[in-house]
Amino acid sequence: MEESLIQRLESAVARLESISSSSSSGFRLIESGADEAPLDPSIAAFDDLMVQFLGRVSAAGEKIGGKALEVTKVLEEAFSVQKELLIQIKQSQKPDLAGLEEFLRPLNEVIVKANALTEGRRSDFFNHLKSAADSLTALAWIAYSGKDCGMSLPIAHVEESWQMAEFYNNKILVEYKSKDPDHVEWAKALKELYIHGLRDYVKSFYPLGPVWSLTGKANVSAPARASSKAPPPGAPAPPPPPAGSLFSSDSSKAPASRPKAGMAAVFQEISSGETVTAGLRKVTDDMKSKNRTDKTGIVGASGKETRTGSSSFSKTGPPKLELQMGRKWVVENQIGRKNLVIDDCDSKQSVYVFGCKDSVLQIQGKVNNITVDKCTKMAVVFMDVVAACEIVNCNGVEVQCQGSAPTISVDNTTGCQLYLSKDSLETSITTAKSSEINVLVPGAEASDDWGEHALPQQFISVFKDGQFLTSPVSHSGA
């Protein structure tokens, strides 16, 4: 009997300690119902989600460090903010559109912070940053307010948001599959966080969207952020927050009495019937092109603008072709250079090509990874690659593999010619947000012409047997 009583007391103390730690870690409760909110089953389940799934991502991020840890901290902050919002929803009445926009502002600020980490020059952790930032849009399920709000149902929204991030998450799995298990664990844990964690949570508690209180406070304010610090006395007031958010309110429309400006004013004047041509000059016969004697049909060479400056210098910075830290070849801002060569390389080094135009680069040896980023009319010829060759944000590029490459990925690119050798015909080619992708393969004999194959960029999805089946669009005709 005494042992049973002691166990019950210990479990009660443990529960009180967990409630105290969660409330002291930055979750501010409003005064109405502050004691009941943490005990709500949906809030307790969200705590379990954060401990079980988010904790696994955090543990892997701690082992990796660097930018991966930084974006993991932002991920933790976003889920903490979502918990604050869920507590507020339990205690408040549903606001109007303007109030909902203000209510969701803290979540929007964290998402903007995550996206800011992906901007600028790509780092070695770009895939980590991109997958985490894109995945955070799944937390916007909380903004669902009905079938007319322009969003998918919460469960579908979480799944669709993860599909956006999975492209970069798969890159992490491919790149570190045989190199570093911590990165693989981080990528797998991130997927579990959304597909089995957040999706199942939303399915259990909010399949039709958040459930607002019918008897709570009418005016909902944005939850206080634990990380924000009050300005010191005498300091100037902070500037107003940016207008962009998860929603756009119609309350800011200009009144009807406001005079029109820009093209609207032009069309209004034309349709008003006024003498809009009153200020035009009359064209006489000698001013007509057919009667002018000072013009000929020959374009003079002196009329063509010529560029006398050096063609090897970019506006973004000086050209580079160098090995950094003994591990990464950097080729940047090369313009009009047809004889770029990297010959002293090994399988532990990577090659990063950025901001080049109208140039040709030859990589004579096996390297670990090749990335071609923001290049125009660039040609890259390489022998072998261990991990992958990535083409990102490019226009009109040509890439030729003379040896083998397990993976070639093309992302956000318009116009790309891929030349494969006989040793690389089993290469896996991944495309996303790209068009005009052609793959050329050698013929059966050495004297045969190359075969050209266009990768599909249009797809059709059909719902069959409880799921969508997607296949490329095929055009048939005479």
Side-chain angles (χ1 to χ4, degrees), residues 154-404:
I155 301 174
H157 177 79
V158 173
E159 293 176 342
E160 293 167 0
S161 299
W162 173 249
Q163 290 176 2
M164 296 170 54
E166 192 170 20
F167 176 77
Y168 297 95
N169 201 63
N170 288 340
K171 287 186 175 183
I172 301 174
L173 296 175
V174 172
E175 181 179 357
Y176 293 96
K177 182 178 180 180
S178 57
K179 292 170 54 178
D180 193 334
D182 292 335
H183 293 264
V184 176
E185 169 66 16
W186 187 90
K188 290 182 177 180
L190 185 65
K191 182 175 182 178
E192 292 282 336
L193 173 62
Y194 289 99
I195 294 303
H196 296 293
L198 185 62
R199 183 190 64 181
D200 293 348
Y201 172 80
V202 172
K203 183 178 181 180
S204 300
F205 294 97
Y206 303 103
L208 300 178
V211 181
W212 296 82
S213 174
L214 298 177
T215 58
K217 287 189 175 183
N219 296 326
V220 178
S221 58
R225 298 286 300 278
S227 60
S228 60
K229 299 180 180 179
S245 67
L246 296 173
F247 288 94
S248 58
S249 176
D250 296 332
S251 60
S252 59
K253 291 183 178 179
S257 60
R258 182 177 177 179
K260 296 182 178 180
M263 292 305 298
V266 175
F267 287 115
Q268 183 181 27
E269 183 179 358
I270 292 174
S271 61
S272 63
E274 298 177 1
T275 57
V276 295
T277 61
L280 298 180
R281 294 175 57 188
K282 181 177 178 59
V283 179
T284 59
D285 290 338
D286 60 330
M287 297 173 63
K288 297 179 180 179
S289 296
K290 64 179 182 179
N291 298 328
R292 295 184 62 178
T293 60
D294 58 340
K295 294 292 182 180
T296 65
I298 302 176
V299 179
S302 60
K304 183 178 180 180
E305 181 181 354
T306 59
R307 180 177 297 179
T308 59
S310 173
S311 62
S312 62
F313 192 86
S314 171
K315 293 181 180 180
T316 57
K320 290 183 181 180
L321 200 165
E322 60 186 14
L323 179 63
Q324 296 181 351
M325 305 295 291
R327 298 183 59 184
K328 184 176 183 179
W329 284 95
V330 175
V331 184
E332 292 185 352
N333 307 320
Q334 301 285 351
I335 299 179
R337 300 290 300 275
K338 306 292 186 179
N339 55 351
L340 302 173
V341 178
I342 297 177
D343 53 5
D344 185 16
C345 53
D346 58 54
S347 59
K348 295 182 180 181
Q349 297 172 347
S350 61
V351 179
Y352 180 66
V353 186
F354 176 81
C356 298
K357 182 179 180 181
D358 195 23
S359 301
V360 179
L361 171 65
Q362 297 184 46
I363 305 172
Q364 300 175 352
K366 178 183 288 188
V367 294
N368 182 269
N369 184 74
I370 300 174
T371 301
V372 184
D373 185 12
K374 292 184 180 179
C375 294
T376 303
K377 296 182 180 180
M378 180 70 182
V380 178
V381 182
F382 66 91
M383 290 297 299
D384 300 285
V385 65
V386 177
C389 175
E390 303 174 81
I391 305 165
V392 187
N393 305 322
C394 293
N395 188 5
V397 295
E398 297 182 3
V399 176
Q400 180 176 1
C401 176
Q402 297 179 332
S404 62

Side-chain angles (χ1 to χ4, degrees), residues 435-453:
S435 60
E436 304 174 24
I437 310 299
N438 296 324
V439 182
L440 290 91
V441 298
E445 301 293 337
S447 59
D448 293 342
D449 294 335
W450 286 65
E452 185 173 1
H453 304 271

Side-chain angles (χ1 to χ4, degrees), residues 71 74-79 82 107 110-115 130-141 157 161-162 165 190 193-194 198 246:
V71 77
V74 177
L75 202 68
E76 296 173 355
E77 183 181 0
F79 274 81
Q82 176 129 114
L107 180 60
V110 181
I111 295 176
V112 171
K113 181 192 296 186
N115 288 325
K130 193 66 176 175
S131 58
D134 288 354
S135 69
L136 284 180
T137 57
L139 299 181
W141 70 265
H157 177 79
S161 299
W162 173 249
L190 185 65
L193 173 62
Y194 289 99
L198 185 62
L246 296 173

